[in-house]
Coordinates of all heavy atoms in Angstrom, one line a residue:
M1 N 105.4 92.8 110.9 CA 105.8 92.0 109.8 C 104.7 90.9 109.5 O 104.2 90.3 110.4 CB 107.2 91.3 110.1 CG 107.6 90.4 109.0 SD 109.2 89.6 109.3 CE 108.7 88.2 110.2
V2 N 104.4 90.8 108.2 CA 103.4 89.8 107.8 C 103.9 89.1 106.5 O 104.6 89.7 105.7 CB 102.0 90.5 107.6 CG1 102.1 91.5 106.4 CG2 100.9 89.5 107.4
K3 N 103.5 87.9 106.4 CA 103.9 87.1 105.2 C 102.7 86.9 104.2 O 101.6 86.8 104.7 CB 104.4 85.8 105.6 CG 105.8 85.8 106.4 CD 106.3 84.5 106.6 CE 107.7 84.5 107.3 NZ 108.3 83.2 107.5
C4 N 103.1 86.8 103.0 CA 102.1 86.5 101.9 C 101.6 85.1 102.1 O 102.4 84.2 102.3 CB 102.7 86.7 100.6 SG 101.7 86.1 99.2
P5 N 100.3 84.9 102.2 CA 99.7 83.5 102.4 C 99.9 82.6 101.2 O 99.8 81.4 101.3 CB 98.3 83.7 102.7 CG 97.9 85.1 102.2 CD 99.2 85.9 102.2
K6 N 100.3 83.2 100.0 CA 100.5 82.4 98.8 C 101.9 82.0 98.7 O 102.2 80.8 98.4 CB 100.0 83.2 97.6 CG 100.0 82.4 96.3 CD 99.4 83.2 95.2 CE 99.3 82.3 93.9 NZ 98.6 83.0 92.9
C7 N 102.9 82.9 98.8 CA 104.3 82.6 98.5 C 105.2 82.7 99.8 O 106.4 82.4 99.7 CB 104.8 83.4 97.4 SG 105.1 85.2 97.9
E8 N 104.6 83.1 100.9 CA 105.4 83.2 102.2 C 106.4 84.4 102.1 O 107.2 84.4 103.0 CB 106.0 81.9 102.6 CG 105.0 80.8 102.8 CD 104.1 81.0 104.0 OE1 104.6 81.5 105.0 OE2 102.9 80.8 103.8
A9 N 106.4 85.2 101.2 CA 107.3 86.4 101.1 C 106.9 87.4 102.2 O 105.7 87.6 102.5 CB 107.3 87.0 99.8
V10 N 107.9 88.0 102.8 CA 107.6 89.1 103.8 C 107.1 90.3 103.1 O 107.7 90.8 102.1 CB 108.9 89.4 104.6 CG1 108.7 90.6 105.5 CG2 109.4 88.2 105.4
I11 N 106.0 90.8 103.6 CA 105.4 92.0 103.0 C 105.7 93.2 103.9 O 105.3 93.2 105.1 CB 103.9 91.8 102.8 CG1 103.6 90.7 101.8 CG2 103.2 93.1 102.3 CD1 102.2 90.3 101.6
D12 N 106.3 94.2 103.3 CA 106.7 95.4 104.1 C 105.6 96.4 104.0 O 105.4 97.1 103.0 CB 108.0 96.0 103.6 CG 108.5 97.1 104.4 OD1 108.2 97.2 105.6 OD2 109.2 98.0 103.9
V13 N 104.8 96.5 105.1 CA 103.7 97.5 105.1 C 103.7 98.2 106.5 O 104.2 97.7 107.5 CB 102.3 96.8 105.0 CG1 102.2 96.2 103.6 CG2 102.1 95.7 106.0
E14 N 103.2 99.4 106.5 CA 103.0 100.1 107.7 C 101.6 99.7 108.3 O 100.6 100.0 107.9 CB 102.9 101.6 107.4 CG 104.2 102.2 106.9 CD 105.3 102.2 107.9 OE1 105.0 102.3 109.2 OE2 106.5 102.0 107.5
E15 N 101.7 98.8 109.3 CA 100.6 98.1 109.8 C 99.5 99.1 110.4 O 98.3 98.9 110.3 CB 101.0 97.1 110.9 CG 101.7 96.0 110.3 CD 102.1 94.9 111.3 OE1 101.5 94.8 112.4 OE2 103.1 94.2 111.1
D16 N 100.0 100.2 111.0 CA 99.1 101.2 111.5 C 98.4 102.0 110.5 O 97.4 102.8 110.8 CB 99.8 102.1 112.5 CG 101.0 102.8 111.9 OD1 101.6 102.4 110.9 OD2 101.4 103.9 112.5
E17 N 98.7 101.9 109.2 CA 98.1 102.7 108.2 C 97.1 101.8 107.4 O 96.5 102.3 106.4 CB 99.1 103.3 107.2 CG 100.0 104.3 107.9 CD 101.0 104.9 106.9 OE1 101.0 104.6 105.7 OE2 101.9 105.7 107.4
L18 N 96.9 100.6 107.7 CA 96.1 99.6 107.0 C 94.6 99.7 107.6 O 94.4 100.0 108.7 CB 96.6 98.2 107.1 CG 97.9 97.9 106.4 CD1 98.3 96.4 106.7 CD2 97.8 98.1 104.9
D19 N 93.7 99.4 106.7 CA 92.3 99.3 107.1 C 91.8 97.9 106.8 O 92.2 97.3 105.8 CB 91.4 100.3 106.4 CG 91.7 101.7 106.8 OD1 91.9 102.0 108.0 OD2 91.7 102.6 105.9
E20 N 90.9 97.4 107.6 CA 90.3 96.1 107.3 C 89.5 96.2 106.0 O 88.9 97.2 105.7 CB 89.3 95.7 108.4 CG 89.4 94.3 108.8 CD 88.6 94.0 110.1 OE1 89.1 94.2 111.2 OE2 87.4 93.5 109.9
G21 N 89.7 95.1 105.1 CA 89.1 95.1 103.8 C 89.9 95.7 102.7 O 89.6 95.6 101.6
E22 N 91.1 96.3 103.1 CA 92.0 96.9 102.1 C 92.6 95.8 101.3 O 92.9 94.7 101.8 CB 93.0 97.7 102.8 CG 93.9 98.5 101.9 CD 94.8 99.5 102.7 OE1 94.5 99.8 103.9 OE2 95.8 99.9 102.1
I23 N 92.9 96.0 100.1 CA 93.6 95.0 99.2 C 95.0 95.4 99.0 O 95.3 96.6 98.6 CB 92.9 94.9 97.8 CG1 91.4 94.5 98.0 CG2 93.6 93.9 96.9 CD1 91.2 93.1 98.5
L24 N 95.9 94.5 99.2 CA 97.4 94.7 99.0 C 97.8 93.8 97.9 O 97.1 92.8 97.6 CB 98.2 94.4 100.2 CG 97.8 95.1 101.5 CD1 98.7 94.5 102.7 CD2 98.1 96.6 101.4
T25 N 98.9 94.1 97.3 CA 99.5 93.2 96.3 C 100.9 92.8 96.7 O 101.7 93.6 97.1 CB 99.6 94.0 94.9 OG1 98.3 94.4 94.5 CG2 100.2 93.1 93.8
C26 N 101.1 91.5 96.7 CA 102.4 90.9 97.0 C 103.4 91.3 95.9 O 103.2 91.0 94.7 CB 102.3 89.4 97.2 SG 103.9 88.6 97.5
D27 N 104.5 91.9 96.3 CA 105.6 92.3 95.4 C 106.2 91.1 94.7 O 106.7 91.2 93.6 CB 106.6 93.2 96.0 CG 106.1 94.5 96.4 OD1 105.1 95.0 95.8 OD2 106.6 95.1 97.4
E28 N 106.3 90.0 95.4 CA 107.0 88.8 94.9 C 106.1 88.0 93.9 O 106.6 87.7 92.9 CB 107.4 87.9 96.1 CG 108.4 88.5 97.0 CD 109.7 88.7 96.3 OE1 110.2 87.8 95.5 OE2 110.3 89.7 96.5
C29 N 104.9 87.6 94.3 CA 104.1 86.8 93.4 C 102.9 87.5 92.7 O 102.3 86.9 91.9 CB 103.5 85.6 94.2 SG 102.3 86.0 95.4
G30 N 102.6 88.7 93.1 CA 101.6 89.5 92.5 C 100.2 89.2 93.0 O 99.2 89.7 92.4
A31 N 100.1 88.4 94.0 CA 98.7 88.0 94.5 C 98.0 89.2 95.1 O 98.7 90.0 95.8 CB 98.9 86.9 95.5
G32 N 96.7 89.3 94.9 CA 95.9 90.3 95.6 C 95.6 89.7 97.0 O 95.2 88.6 97.2
L33 N 95.9 90.5 98.0 CA 95.7 90.1 99.4 C 94.7 91.0 100.1 O 94.9 92.2 100.1 CB 97.1 90.1 100.1 CG 98.2 89.3 99.4 CD1 99.5 89.5 100.1 CD2 97.8 87.8 99.4
N34 N 93.8 90.4 100.8 CA 92.8 91.2 101.5 C 93.2 91.2 103.0 O 93.5 90.2 103.6 CB 91.4 90.4 101.4 CG 90.3 91.2 102.0 OD1 90.3 92.4 102.2 ND2 89.2 90.4 102.3
V35 N 93.1 92.4 103.6 CA 93.4 92.6 105.0 C 92.1 92.1 105.8 O 91.1 92.8 105.7 CB 93.7 94.0 105.4 CG1 93.9 94.1 106.9 CG2 95.0 94.5 104.6
V36 N 92.1 91.0 106.4 CA 91.0 90.5 107.1 C 90.9 90.8 108.6 O 89.9 90.8 109.2 CB 90.8 88.9 106.9 CG1 90.5 88.6 105.5 CG2 92.0 88.2 107.4
S37 N 92.1 91.1 109.2 CA 92.2 91.4 110.6 C 93.4 92.4 110.8 O 94.4 92.2 110.2 CB 92.4 90.2 111.4 OG 92.6 90.5 112.8
L38 N 93.2 93.3 111.8 CA 94.3 94.2 112.1 C 95.0 93.9 113.3 O 96.2 94.2 113.5 CB 93.7 95.7 112.2 CG 93.1 96.3 110.9 CD1 92.4 97.6 111.2 CD2 94.1 96.4 109.8
D39 N 94.3 93.2 114.3 CA 95.0 92.9 115.5 C 94.6 91.4 115.9 O 93.6 91.2 116.5 CB 94.6 93.8 116.6 CG 95.4 93.7 117.9 OD1 96.5 93.1 117.8 OD2 94.9 94.1 119.0
P40 N 95.4 90.5 115.5 CA 96.7 90.6 114.8 C 96.5 90.8 113.3 O 95.4 90.4 112.8 CB 97.3 89.2 115.1 CG 96.2 88.3 115.2 CD 95.1 89.1 115.9
L41 N 97.5 91.3 112.7 CA 97.4 91.6 111.2 C 97.3 90.2 110.5 O 98.2 89.4 110.7 CB 98.6 92.4 110.7 CG 98.6 92.7 109.2 CD1 97.4 93.5 108.8 CD2 99.9 93.5 108.9
E42 N 96.3 90.1 109.7 CA 96.1 88.8 109.0 C 95.6 89.1 107.6 O 94.7 89.9 107.3 CB 95.0 88.0 109.7 CG 94.8 86.6 109.1 CD 93.7 85.9 109.9 OE1 93.4 86.2 111.0 OE2 93.2 84.9 109.3
L43 N 96.3 88.5 106.6 CA 95.9 88.6 105.2 C 95.4 87.3 104.7 O 95.8 86.2 105.1 CB 97.2 89.0 104.4 CG 97.9 90.3 104.9 CD1 99.2 90.5 104.0 CD2 97.0 91.5 104.7
E44 N 94.6 87.4 103.7 CA 94.2 86.2 102.9 C 94.2 86.5 101.4 O 94.1 87.7 101.1 CB 92.8 85.7 103.4 CG 91.6 86.6 103.0 CD 90.3 86.0 103.4 OE1 90.2 85.1 104.2 OE2 89.3 86.5 102.8
I45 N 94.3 85.5 100.6 CA 94.3 85.7 99.2 C 92.9 86.3 98.8 O 91.9 85.7 99.2 CB 94.6 84.5 98.4 CG1 96.0 84.0 98.8 CG2 94.5 84.7 96.9 CD1 96.4 82.6 98.3
A46 N 92.9 87.4 98.1 CA 91.6 88.0 97.7 C 90.8 87.0 96.8 O 91.4 86.2 96.1 CB 91.9 89.3 96.9
D47 N 89.5 87.1 96.9 CA 88.7 86.2 96.2 C 88.9 86.3 94.7 O 88.5 87.3 94.1 CB 87.2 86.5 96.6 CG 86.2 85.5 96.1 OD1 86.7 84.5 95.6 OD2 85.0 85.8 96.3
E48 N 89.4 85.3 94.1 CA 89.7 85.3 92.7 C 88.4 85.2 91.9 O 88.4 85.6 90.7 CB 90.6 84.1 92.3 CG 92.0 84.3 92.9 CD 93.0 83.2 92.6 OE1 92.6 82.3 91.8 OE2 94.1 83.2 93.1
E49 N 87.4 84.6 92.5 CA 86.1 84.5 91.8 C 85.6 85.9 91.4 O 85.0 86.1 90.3 CB 85.1 83.8 92.6 CG 85.4 82.3 92.7 CD 84.3 81.6 93.6 OE1 83.3 82.2 93.9 OE2 84.6 80.4 93.9
E50 N 85.7 86.9 92.3 CA 85.3 88.3 92.0 C 86.0 88.8 90.8 O 85.4 89.5 90.0 CB 85.4 89.2 93.2 CG 84.5 88.9 94.4 CD 84.7 89.7 95.6 OE1 85.5 90.7 95.4 OE2 84.2 89.5 96.6
E51 N 87.3 88.6 90.8 CA 88.1 89.1 89.7 C 87.7 88.4 88.4 O 87.5 89.1 87.4 CB 89.6 88.8 89.9 CG 90.2 89.6 91.1 CD 91.6 89.2 91.4 OE1 92.2 88.5 90.6 OE2 92.1 89.6 92.5
D52 N 87.4 87.1 88.4 CA 87.0 86.4 87.2 C 85.6 86.9 86.8 O 85.4 87.0 85.6 CB 86.9 84.9 87.5 CG 88.2 84.2 87.8 OD1 89.3 84.8 87.4 OD2 88.3 83.1 88.3
E53 N 84.7 87.2 87.7 CA 83.4 87.7 87.3 C 83.5 89.0 86.6 O 82.9 89.3 85.6 CB 82.5 87.8 88.6 CG 82.0 86.5 89.1 CD 81.2 86.7 90.4 OE1 80.9 87.8 90.8 OE2 80.9 85.7 91.0
D54 N 84.4 89.9 87.1 CA 84.6 91.2 86.5 C 85.1 91.0 85.0 O 84.7 91.6 84.1 CB 85.6 92.0 87.3 CG 85.1 92.5 88.6 OD1 83.8 92.4 88.8 OD2 85.9 92.9 89.5
E55 N 86.1 90.1 84.9 CA 86.6 89.8 83.5 C 85.5 89.2 82.6 O 85.4 89.6 81.5 CB 87.8 88.8 83.6 CG 89.0 89.4 84.2 CD 90.1 88.4 84.4 OE1 90.0 87.3 83.9 OE2 91.1 88.8 85.1
E56 N 84.7 88.3 83.2 CA 83.6 87.8 82.4 C 82.6 88.8 82.0 O 82.1 88.8 80.8 CB 82.9 86.7 83.2 CG 83.7 85.4 83.3 CD 83.0 84.4 84.2 OE1 81.8 84.6 84.6 OE2 83.7 83.4 84.5
D57 N 82.3 89.8 82.9 CA 81.4 90.9 82.5 C 81.9 91.7 81.4 O 81.2 92.0 80.5 CB 81.1 91.8 83.7 CG 80.3 91.1 84.8 OD1 79.7 90.1 84.5 OD2 80.3 91.6 85.9
E58 N 83.2 92.0 81.4 CA 83.9 92.7 80.3 C 83.8 91.9 79.0 O 83.4 92.5 78.0 CB 85.3 93.0 80.7 CG 85.5 94.0 81.8 CD 86.9 94.2 82.2 OE1 87.8 93.7 81.5 OE2 87.1 94.8 83.2
D59 N 84.1 90.6 79.1 CA 84.0 89.8 77.9 C 82.6 89.7 77.4 O 82.3 89.8 76.2 CB 84.5 88.4 78.2 CG 86.0 88.3 78.4 OD1 86.7 89.3 78.1 OD2 86.4 87.3 79.0
F60 N 81.6 89.6 78.3 CA 80.2 89.5 77.9 C 79.8 90.8 77.2 O 79.1 90.8 76.1 CB 79.3 89.3 79.1 CG 77.9 89.1 78.8 CD1 77.5 87.9 78.2 CD2 76.9 90.1 79.0 CE1 76.2 87.7 77.8 CE2 75.6 89.9 78.7 CZ 75.2 88.7 78.1
D61 N 80.1 92.0 77.7 CA 79.8 93.2 77.0 C 80.4 93.3 75.6 O 79.8 93.7 74.7 CB 80.3 94.4 77.9 CG 79.5 94.6 79.2 OD1 78.4 94.0 79.3 OD2 80.1 95.2 80.1
Y62 N 81.6 92.8 75.5 CA 82.3 92.8 74.2 C 81.5 91.9 73.2 O 81.3 92.3 72.1 CB 83.7 92.3 74.4 CG 84.5 92.3 73.1 CD1 84.9 93.4 72.4 CD2 84.7 91.1 72.4 CE1 85.6 93.4 71.3 CE2 85.4 91.0 71.2 CZ 85.8 92.2 70.6 OH 86.5 92.1 69.4
D63 N 81.1 90.7 73.7 CA 80.4 89.8 72.8 C 79.0 90.4 72.4 O 78.6 90.2 71.3 CB 80.1 88.5 73.5 CG 81.4 87.7 73.7 OD1 82.4 88.0 73.0 OD2 81.4 86.8 74.6
E64 N 78.4 91.1 73.3 CA 77.1 91.8 72.9 C 77.3 92.7 71.8 O 76.5 92.8 70.9 CB 76.5 92.5 74.1 CG 75.8 91.6 75.1 CD 75.2 92.4 76.3 OE1 75.2 93.7 76.2 OE2 74.8 91.8 77.2
D65 N 78.4 93.5 71.8 CA 78.6 94.5 70.8 C 78.8 93.7 69.4 O 78.3 94.2 68.4 CB 79.9 95.3 71.1 CG 79.7 96.2 72.3 OD1 78.5 96.5 72.6 OD2 80.7 96.7 72.9
E66 N 79.5 92.6 69.4 CA 79.7 91.9 68.2 C 78.4 91.3 67.7 O 78.1 91.4 66.5 CB 80.7 90.7 68.5 CG 82.1 91.0 68.5 CD 83.0 89.8 68.6 OE1 82.5 88.7 68.5 OE2 84.2 90.0 68.7
D67 N 77.5 90.8 68.6 CA 76.2 90.3 68.1 C 75.4 91.4 67.5 O 74.7 91.2 66.5 CB 75.5 89.7 69.3 CG 76.1 88.4 69.8 OD1 76.9 87.8 69.1 OD2 75.8 88.0 71.0
E68 N 75.4 92.6 68.1 CA 74.7 93.7 67.5 C 75.1 94.1 66.1 O 74.4 94.3 65.2 CB 74.7 95.0 68.4 CG 74.0 94.8 69.7 CD 74.2 96.0 70.7 OE1 74.7 97.0 70.2 OE2 73.7 95.8 71.8
E69 N 76.5 94.1 65.9 CA 77.0 94.4 64.6 C 76.6 93.3 63.6 O 76.2 93.6 62.5 CB 78.5 94.4 64.7 CG 79.1 95.6 65.4 CD 80.6 95.6 65.6 OE1 81.2 94.8 64.9 OE2 81.1 96.4 66.3
E70 N 76.6 92.0 64.0 CA 76.2 91.0 63.1 C 74.7 91.1 62.7 O 74.3 90.9 61.6 CB 76.4 89.6 63.7 CG 77.9 89.3 63.8 CD 78.2 87.9 64.5 OE1 77.2 87.2 64.8 OE2 79.3 87.7 64.8
E71 N 73.9 91.5 63.7 CA 72.4 91.7 63.4 C 72.3 92.8 62.4 O 71.4 92.7 61.5 CB 71.7 92.0 64.7 CG 71.5 90.8 65.6 CD 70.9 91.1 67.0 OE1 70.4 92.3 67.1 OE2 70.9 90.3 67.9
D72 N 73.0 93.9 62.6 CA 72.9 95.0 61.7 C 73.3 94.6 60.3 O 72.6 95.0 59.3 CB 73.8 96.2 62.1 CG 73.3 96.8 63.4 OD1 72.1 96.6 63.7 OD2 74.1 97.6 64.1
E73 N 74.3 93.8 60.1 CA 74.8 93.3 58.8 C 73.7 92.4 58.2 O 73.4 92.5 57.0 CB 76.1 92.6 58.9 CG 77.3 93.5 59.3 CD 78.5 92.7 59.5 OE1 78.5 91.5 59.3 OE2 79.5 93.3 59.9
D74 N 73.1 91.5 59.0 CA 72.0 90.6 58.5 C 70.9 91.5 58.0 O 70.3 91.1 57.0 CB 71.6 89.7 59.6 CG 72.6 88.6 60.0 OD1 73.6 88.5 59.1 OD2 72.5 88.0 61.0
E75 N 70.5 92.5 58.7 CA 69.4 93.3 58.3 C 69.7 94.0 57.0 O 68.8 94.1 56.1 CB 69.0 94.4 59.4 CG 68.4 93.8 60.6 CD 68.1 94.9 61.7 OE1 68.1 96.1 61.3 OE2 67.9 94.5 62.8
E76 N 70.9 94.5 56.8 CA 71.3 95.2 55.6 C 71.3 94.2 54.4 O 70.8 94.5 53.3 CB 72.7 95.8 55.7 CG 72.7 97.0 56.6 CD 74.1 97.5 56.8 OE1 75.1 97.0 56.1 OE2 74.3 98.3 57.7
D77 N 71.7 92.9 54.6 CA 71.7 91.9 53.6 C 70.3 91.6 53.2 O 70.0 91.3 52.0 CB 72.4 90.6 54.1 CG 73.9 90.8 54.2 OD1 74.4 91.8 53.7 OD2 74.5 90.0 54.9
W78 N 69.3 91.6 54.1 CA 68.0 91.2 53.8 C 67.3 92.3 52.9 O 66.5 92.0 52.1 CB 67.2 91.1 55.2 CG 65.8 90.7 54.9 CD1 65.4 89.4 54.7 CD2 64.6 91.5 55.0 NE1 64.0 89.4 54.5 CE2 63.5 90.7 54.7 CE3 64.4 92.9 55.2 CZ2 62.2 91.2 54.7 CZ3 63.1 93.3 55.1 CH2 62.1 92.5 54.9
K79 N 67.7 93.5 53.2 CA 67.1 94.6 52.4 C 67.6 94.6 51.1 O 67.3 94.6 50.0 CB 67.5 96.0 53.1 CG 66.8 96.2 54.4 CD 67.2 97.5 55.0 CE 66.7 97.7 56.4 NZ 67.1 98.9 57.0

């Protein structure tokens, strides 16, 4: 038995089927939890910065596409 470090809810997992580095999700609060130790079983809240960086990368790619479209429109207006 292990508890979520964020909300203290009991997380029902098969401890013998876990691997170190595996990411679980708390059913109660939805937090991403990283398995940092197997003996004893220890979880920590997954690094939110990594998730934020992934979202920023997606946003950045989206913005690049918009900039390219604006450049194309500017070139057409110039002609």
